[in-house]
Amino acid sequence: GENATLMADPPMIEGSNIIAADIAADNGVVHVIDFPIVPPSIPVLPSVALAANATGEFTILLNLVAGVGLDGQLSQPGALTIFAPTDDAFAAIPNVEELLADTNAVIGILMGHVVGGYLTSDMLEDGQSITALNQESLTVSKSMDGTISVGGATVVMPDILGSNGVVHAIDRVILPGAPTAAPGGGGSGPAPTPTSTGGGGEPEPPSSAMSASLSFLAMAVPAFFCAL
């Protein structure tokens, strides 16, 4: 009996995009939306940022998000799926302090862990390929006992639900351009497709391309991050 707000252009209902309309059935019609609608009478979940923070497992990740100015974006409406490395996963990276001091590298790492859309663990299938914000493909592996790995990182805490998405804790950091995921646990599965992040052994200085990447991430996160 509760009211819902509709928009015609673009077609939306209560902030959710209508992605397929007018699917006829013998007893009605179906419109497919990209995010669940929660009635006002139901208690609202915290944002994915607050949900992740409440676990106490993602201090480094959330600090990195704040460091590049994206912490506010994680509270925006939208649909996000974040594969969130735990603090232990970051600690297992060799020379982690040097890596995280490189702003360009941090942005690439964050983009590689966020997928547009709302993907709970039961929606992830063995062999499925999903695309992160850095445009790298992450392959999903799902074993007979239900263990899930994504991009070579094992999901150790699935389905941390937020009002604007879902967080899955993973035991490895997925590094863009690396042939394998960073060591950090017993993850298994294919590594993400390598892409170049700069050659010569020396970190590339911040450039207009890096600034463009940050701008893209800042715009894309509310629309999907769906958050680093």
Side-chain angles (χ1 to χ4, degrees), residues 44-54 71-77 80 82 160-167:
V44 177
L45 292 168
S47 68
V48 288
L50 292 177
N53 186 55
D71 46 330
Q73 307 293 351
L74 293 183
S75 299
Q76 296 291 326
L80 327 173
I82 304 174
I160 304 167
L161 302 180
S163 60
N164 58 339
V166 58
V167 177

Side-chain angles (χ1 to χ4, degrees), residues 51-76:
N53 186 55
T55 70
E57 296 288 337
F58 308 111
T59 303
I60 296 175
L61 177 67
L62 294 174
N63 284 341
L64 291 175
V65 170
V68 294
L70 294 177
D71 46 330
Q73 307 293 351
L74 293 183
S75 299
Q76 296 291 326

Side-chain angles (χ1 to χ4, degrees), residues 4-189:
T5 301
L6 290 165
M7 291 180 58
D9 187 19
M12 300 179 70
I13 179 169
E14 287 296 311
S16 296
N17 295 299
I18 300 175
I19 57 177
D22 301 327
I23 302 172
D26 59 5
N27 61 341
V29 62
V30 175
H31 305 298
V32 180
I33 59 177
D34 65 352
F35 195 73
I37 298 171
V38 180
S41 58
I42 296 178
V44 177
L45 292 168
S47 68
V48 288
L50 292 177
N53 186 55
T55 70
E57 296 288 337
F58 308 111
T59 303
I60 296 175
L61 177 67
L62 294 174
N63 284 341
L64 291 175
V65 170
V68 294
L70 294 177
D71 46 330
Q73 307 293 351
L74 293 183
S75 299
Q76 296 291 326
L80 327 173
T81 298
I82 304 174
F83 296 99
T86 63
D87 290 344
D88 287 344
F90 277 104
I93 302 175
N95 303 317
V96 62
E97 295 86 356
E98 179 181 346
L99 174 65
L100 299 184
D102 182 344
T103 302
N104 200 11
V106 170
I107 293 170
I109 290 169
L110 295 177
M111 293 177 73
H113 289 79
V114 184
V115 176
Y118 190 88
L119 295 172
T120 53
S121 60
D122 61 328
M123 300 169 67
L124 297 171
E125 300 177 355
D126 187 48
Q128 180 180 2
S129 180
I130 54 180
T131 303
L133 282 190
N134 63 356
Q135 301 304 307
E136 290 196 9
S137 295
L138 304 176
T139 301
V140 177
S141 298
K142 202 166 190 177
S143 65
M144 294 295 293
D145 65 3
T147 300
I148 299 171
S149 31
V150 177
T154 299
V155 175
V156 295
M157 188 191 307
D159 300 328
I160 304 167
L161 302 180
S163 60
N164 58 339
V166 58
V167 177
H168 304 292
I170 56 176
D171 68 346
R172 297 186 178 193
V173 178
I174 304 169
L175 296 177
T180 60
S188 60

Side-chain angles (χ1 to χ4, degrees), residues 98 198-204:
E98 179 181 346
E202 293 293 330
E204 293 184 348

